[in-house]
Amino acid sequence: MGRKKPATTAATPTRPEDERLGIAPSFAYGLQHVLTMYGGIIAPPLVIGQAAGLSQLEIGVLIASALFIGGLATLLQTIGIPFFGSQLPLVQGVSFAGVATMLAILSGGGGLPAVFGAIIASAVIGVLIAPFFAMIVKFFPPVVTGVVITSIGLTLIPVAGTWAMGGAGSEDFGSPANIGLAGIALAIMVLLTKFGTPALARLAILISLVLATIVAAFLGMTDFAGVFDGPIFAIPTPFAFGLPTFEPAAIISMLIVVLVTFTETTADILAVGEVVGTKVDSKRIAAGLRADMLSSAVSPVFNSFTQSAFAQNVGLVAITKVKSRWVVAAGGVVLVLLGVLPVLGRIVAAIPTPVLGGVGVALFGTVAASGIATLAKVDYKNNLNLIIVAISLAFGMLPVVLPDFYHEFPTWFQIIFHSGISSATIMAVLLNILFNHVVRRSNSRGDRNAFIAAAGRTVPEEALDALEEGDYYVGGKLIDKDGVEVKVVPTGSIAAVDPPQH
């Protein structure tokens, strides 16, 4: 009687991001991703809708459309199809990079149809140029990626601070009650992360959001009374605001937004690849950028705007250590449901903004810490990597700490450099090319300046033969572990290799 063959088991995934956790945990962790970026994804349609003079009901259509398309775009980015999708745990949503440009198009009198037409045309062009943009990945060594990841975290921290204060425009903005509620959310998250079981620690963000919201309800700082006001189910209607129009000037201005989106999405792909610990090459970046642009081209059909990866969720991957792209794909399904079930969106919207701010402080700080960890691996000896990091980070922080820094510059310049992430990335790439590719040979002579770290010292290997465990050198004398001075003799003497016995 032959031996029974062992049962076939699923192959262990070769990439960390391919791990499957099961339906229940995937949707639980996916919901965390949705809650983390929810405020960011609904902000652009809210701003654009108000600027376009839409009613509250029409703005609600824009928000539902943004959630619906964001979910579909997330599924495309995480699951992927040939040539489209990075297959990384990246949540997609409406990019804030294009808000200023879209406001300018609206002020020109074209209305939402002109905005949608510019997005469609620029996105189609973006699909074609994505592979060429992705070729610059070779100019993203650790000294650049470390700057990019750090700048992502530092740039997002003011966002978390604004949320913690109650959200821009709130009547009680900056009140002790708002900041205190944010502190409660942060404290719950920290305690769960430190003292909870591994399962609770991974769900610390979600649990802290729920518990802090319950606290807010008892304090009268949130209200669920209007959750069931309005439709329960609604599918976004195509071209609800009219057919798109195509204005050359608007298309050109949106092309600049596409390039900014490319820069930020490339940074996010590199950042999440570093956090996950997986290989990211130019083909993968190109597939991710094409997914961005395909989603952006389809987005206006369903009344939404340019799509891009959300940096906020990189921090969630880093802090929870849940690297599966299928978890984020489950979050994409949740976004689609929020888009077709407005009642769910109203429930999520009832979470107080300060609660999001409390957990955001930890999430975005974790992104910055991941960037610092990458920078710690960089070689700073006998090169100009230190000045690359110094200038790039400072350049990226300028528009963050001084939002009006480029106020007098042309609009196209403001669109590019008003983003701290884009500013830091562009400067880091350019300085890396200059110092480590163009003029690297000129520094090989051993030139020194204030920004070049001293070259590493060397000691002849044979000198180590005379040392014993615990020996140390101080004040010009060699001392052994017992505090007795060891005599130093000229090179070649037998005593140099015959240490005294005690």
Side-chain angles (χ1 to χ4, degrees), residues 189-458:
M189 192 213 74
V190 171
L191 291 174
L192 286 172
T193 302
K194 174 63 177 176
F195 300 108
T197 63
L200 287 177
R202 286 187 170 189
L203 288 170
I205 302 295
L206 177 59
I207 296 173
S208 64
L209 289 172
V210 173
L211 294 181
T213 300
I214 293 174
V215 172
F218 277 109
L219 296 175
M221 298 179 66
T222 188
D223 184 10
F224 289 89
V227 164
F228 293 101
D229 293 342
I232 303 297
F233 178 85
I235 296 177
T237 303
F239 300 120
F241 299 93
L243 294 176
T245 59
F246 300 93
E247 301 178 0
I251 294 171
I252 292 172
S253 63
M254 284 304 298
L255 268 175
I256 297 175
V257 174
V258 165
L259 295 177
V260 174
T261 302
F262 275 0
T263 303
E264 293 189 345
T265 296
T266 299
D268 293 338
I269 290 174
L270 292 170
V272 80
E274 183 78 16
V275 170
V276 170
T278 192
K279 180 182 178 181
V280 173
D281 54 19
S282 59
K283 290 183 178 179
R284 202 166 192 183
I285 291 176
L289 298 180
R290 279 194 290 261
D292 262 8
M293 292 299 100
L294 179 59
S295 301
S296 297
V298 174
S299 184
V301 176
F302 292 96
N303 321 300
S304 196
F305 310 102
T306 306
Q307 301 289 307
S308 70
F310 266 55
Q312 291 95 315
N313 298 88
V314 177
L316 188 57
V317 174
I319 203 169
T320 63
K321 303 296 189 293
V322 178
K323 304 173 180 179
S324 172
R325 62 190 173 99
W326 300 105
V327 162
V328 177
V333 174
V334 173
L335 282 172
V336 172
L337 291 176
L338 289 173
V340 299
L341 294 173
V343 63
L344 295 180
R346 291 192 291 272
I347 293 174
V348 174
I351 297 176
T353 304
V355 172
L356 296 174
V359 299
V361 168
L363 290 177
F364 306 156
T366 302
V367 177
S370 298
I372 293 171
T374 300
L375 290 175
K377 304 173 186 177
V378 175
D379 180 15
Y380 296 99
K381 296 178 181 178
N382 212 22
N383 57 44
L384 286 169
N385 283 338
L386 185 63
I387 195 172
I388 293 175
V389 174
I391 294 179
S392 300
L393 282 179
F395 196 71
M397 291 304 100
L398 277 176
V400 176
V401 298
L402 296 171
D404 294 330
F405 189 79
Y406 298 117
H407 181 69
E408 298 297 327
F409 283 70
T411 301
W412 66 267
F413 190 94
Q414 293 185 49
I415 292 171
I416 297 173
F417 291 100
H418 186 69
S419 165
I421 299 172
S422 295
S423 297
T425 301
I426 291 171
M427 182 59 72
V429 169
L430 292 179
L431 289 179
N432 176 62
I433 292 173
L434 177 63
F435 294 146
N436 291 331
H437 293 272
V438 177
V439 296
R440 179 169 53 182
R441 291 185 178 181
S442 66
N443 287 330
S444 64
R445 300 171 300 172
D447 296 342
R448 293 289 182 269
N449 62 53
F451 296 100
I452 298 181
R457 296 171 57 246
T458 59

